Amino acid sequence: MSEKSRKPLNTLQKAINKPVIVRLKSELEYRGTMSNVDAYMNVILTDAEEYDGGSLSANFGKVVIRGNNVIFIKIQPDIKVI
Amino acid sequence: MSEKSRKPLNTLQKAINKPVIVRLKSELEYRGTMSNVDAYMNVILTDAEEYDGGSLSANFGKVVIRGNNVIFIKIQPDIKVI
Amino acid sequence: MSEKSRKPLNTLQKAINKPVIVRLKSELEYRGTMSNVDAYMNVILTDAEEYDGGSLSANFGKVVIRGNNVIFIKIQPDIKVI
Amino acid sequence: MSEKSRKPLNTLQKAINKPVIVRLKSELEYRGTMSNVDAYMNVILTDAEEYDGGSLSANFGKVVIRGNNVIFIKIQPDIKVI
Amino acid sequence: MSEKSRKPLNTLQKAINKPVIVRLKSELEYRGTMSNVDAYMNVILTDAEEYDGGSLSANFGKVVIRGNNVIFIKIQPDIKVI
Amino acid sequence: MSEKSRKPLNTLQKAINKPVIVRLKSELEYRGTMSNVDAYMNVILTDAEEYDGGSLSANFGKVVIRGNNVIFIKIQPDIKVI
Amino acid sequence: MSEKSRKPLNTLQKAINKPVIVRLKSELEYRGTMSNVDAYMNVILTDAEEYDGGSLSANFGKVVIRGNNVIFIKIQPDIKVI
């Protein structure tokens, strides 16, 4: 396992400008490019799509998601496969 | 991708006086001009409209929304297309 | 747009002694004169009316509302039009 | 309007030893003499009555209510009219 | 009214080793001797009884209740009348 | 009453390596040896059993429970009587 | 009992790069290798599987789980027996 231990928020910082999936406590899920994130997990997504129960429900040019609603942020591989 | 990394709250500050959509944990959504916002995502909207489940439900001259209710703030493009 | 950027809580301070509507996370809504407010959005209303689902449900001489229950505070224009 | 601006918690301090009504997030409501209160809205009531949905449900000699459950504290006029 | 103003948490400290009733946000209620309490309302009860909807549901030799679940702590008179 | 007043969290520290029952806000309950606990009531249990509505639902070699889910920690007498 | 007392978060740090099960407040459960964790129980899992009500529902290359959703983290023995 070549993966060294990193603090969770450092790992998030390294994923800036990569595609991510942000799942919220509600059924909503947002997919887009994470243009920024802070220690509270406030996230900015660009070119974001909203999925509600698995179905595309809205498009967002730029959205700021408040961190306290986040369950997880899935970091996508560099090859965009959303 | 010409978008540089910015802290989420800085990005919000740059959107002051632009049209935004503020979605709350309840079904409510507010659309208006973001005349201010702070680090807690307390937001002031002017000329705001309240949407409840997609339908216009009220108009507000000026309203201060408490940040802990916010799920996201969508920043609209400069050309107002609400 | 002549409205300058102001911090949300400064804006609330400027609305002291004006009529406001305070909406809570529950269905309750309070209308009255905001005799004070602090950074946590703890609010004092005087001559307040409680509305439950749109109907007047109680009158309050003076009430202190705990800020964490607040969704928004709507600042009314100077001409009282509640 | 002779009411000067006061911080909400100062106003609560001035109501010590006066009759108050404390409404909680649940349906419960407590009426009694506020023998003390702090900045978190932890409240001590003496000679308190508990109302559940409007009906008297219990009597309390002395009770300490944890502030985070409080929706509002209604300050009664000096002439006890509960 | 000879009762002097005391901070709520001081009053709790003075009730150490007295019988109390601790009501939680859930329907549960605990009755026992408060062997200690801190500023967060974390409480230790000894010889405690659990009541669920008014019925005795369990006995506890010693239990530490986490303060954030507490609605109120009722301080019983010195003559144990639980 | 020979029990001296102790801070609640000190009492928890003294129960390290003793059998405890940890009840969570959900219906879940965990029984095991408390190999550690901190001020936030984060708890490590070893040889733990999970009970869901009174029935054994899982076994855990070692589990770290996040404190904010805890309702209470019941400290068992030295003679293990779970 | 050879297990010495350790602070809960130290124990978590020692489980980095080991297999864990992370249970959330919702029904969701995540199994994978804990590549990092911080004091808030923000967790990074790699090669993670999501279980919803006991059934495998998704695979994640790398996911950052926000700590406030966590109920517990079960540390698996070194021999992977998930």
Side-chain angles (χ1 to χ4, degrees), chain D residues 16 36 44 62 64 66 69, chain E residues 5-7 11 67 71 73:
Chain D
I16 284 176
N36 214 324
I44 299 180
K62 180 181 290 194
V64 183
R66 199 170 189 270
N69 303 292
Chain E
S5 293
R6 295 188 194 111
K7 294 195 173 176
T11 297
I71 289 185
I73 299 174

Side-chain angles (χ1 to χ4, degrees), chain G residues 8-25:
Chain G
L9 300 174
N10 288 355
T11 297
L12 280 176
Q13 290 292 328
K14 297 192 183 207
I16 284 177
N17 290 330
K18 291 190 180 168
V20 298
I21 297 177
V22 180
R23 175 106 42 103
L24 302 192
K25 289 179 188 172

Side-chain angles (χ1 to χ4, degrees), chain D residues 5-75:
Chain D
S5 294
R6 295 187 195 110
K7 295 195 173 175
L9 300 174
N10 289 355
T11 297
L12 280 176
Q13 291 292 329
K14 296 192 181 206
I16 284 176
N17 289 330
K18 291 190 180 169
V20 298
I21 297 177
V22 180
R23 173 109 40 107
L24 302 193
K25 290 179 187 173
S26 64
E27 299 294 307
L28 298 171
E29 193 172 280
Y30 296 87
R31 304 180 178 204
T33 299
M34 184 164 66
S35 71
N36 214 324
V37 62
D38 66 17
Y40 195 60
M41 293 207 195
N42 296 316
V43 180
I44 299 180
L45 294 185
T46 52
D47 301 327
E49 294 169 323
E50 178 185 80
Y51 288 81
D52 187 356
S55 307
L56 180 65
S57 50
N59 286 280
F60 296 81
K62 180 181 290 194
V63 65
V64 183
I65 297 171
R66 199 170 189 270
N68 69 323
N69 303 292
V70 172
I71 288 185
F72 66 72
I73 299 174
K74 180 184 175 187
I75 299 168

Side-chain angles (χ1 to χ4, degrees), chain F residues 16-17 24 28 30 33 35-36 42 44 50 59-60 62-66 68-69, chain G residues 1 3 5-8 11-12 23 25 40-41 67-68 70-75:
Chain F
I16 284 177
N17 290 329
L24 302 192
L28 298 171
Y30 296 87
T33 300
S35 69
N36 215 324
N42 296 316
I44 300 180
E50 178 185 82
N59 286 280
F60 297 81
K62 181 181 287 193
V63 65
V64 183
I65 298 171
R66 200 171 190 268
N68 68 323
N69 303 293
Chain G
M1 188 179 301
E3 173 77 22
S5 293
R6 296 187 193 110
K7 294 195 173 176
T11 297
L12 280 176
R23 175 106 42 103
K25 289 179 188 172
Y40 196 58
M41 293 207 197
N68 69 323
V70 172
I71 289 186
F72 66 72
I73 299 174
K74 179 184 175 188
I75 300 168

Side-chain angles (χ1 to χ4, degrees), chain C residues 54-68:
Chain C
S55 306
L56 181 65
S57 50
N59 286 279
F60 296 82
K62 180 180 290 194
V63 65
V64 183
I65 297 171
R66 200 171 190 268
N68 68 324

Side-chain angles (χ1 to χ4, degrees), chain A residues 1 3-9 11-12 23 25 39-41 67-75, chain G residues 16-17 24 26 28 30 33 35-38 42-44 50 59-66 68-69:
Chain A
M1 187 180 302
E3 173 76 23
K4 285 207 189 163
S5 292
R6 296 187 194 109
K7 294 195 173 175
L9 300 173
T11 296
L12 280 176
R23 175 104 45 100
K25 289 179 189 174
Y40 196 59
M41 294 207 196
N68 69 323
N69 303 292
V70 172
I71 289 186
F72 66 72
I73 299 174
K74 179 184 175 188
I75 299 167
Chain G
I16 284 177
N17 290 330
L24 302 192
S26 65
L28 298 171
Y30 297 88
T33 299
S35 71
N36 215 323
V37 62
D38 66 14
N42 296 315
V43 180
I44 300 180
E50 178 185 81
N59 286 279
F60 297 81
K62 182 182 285 192
V63 65
V64 183
I65 298 171
R66 200 169 189 271
N68 69 323
N69 303 291

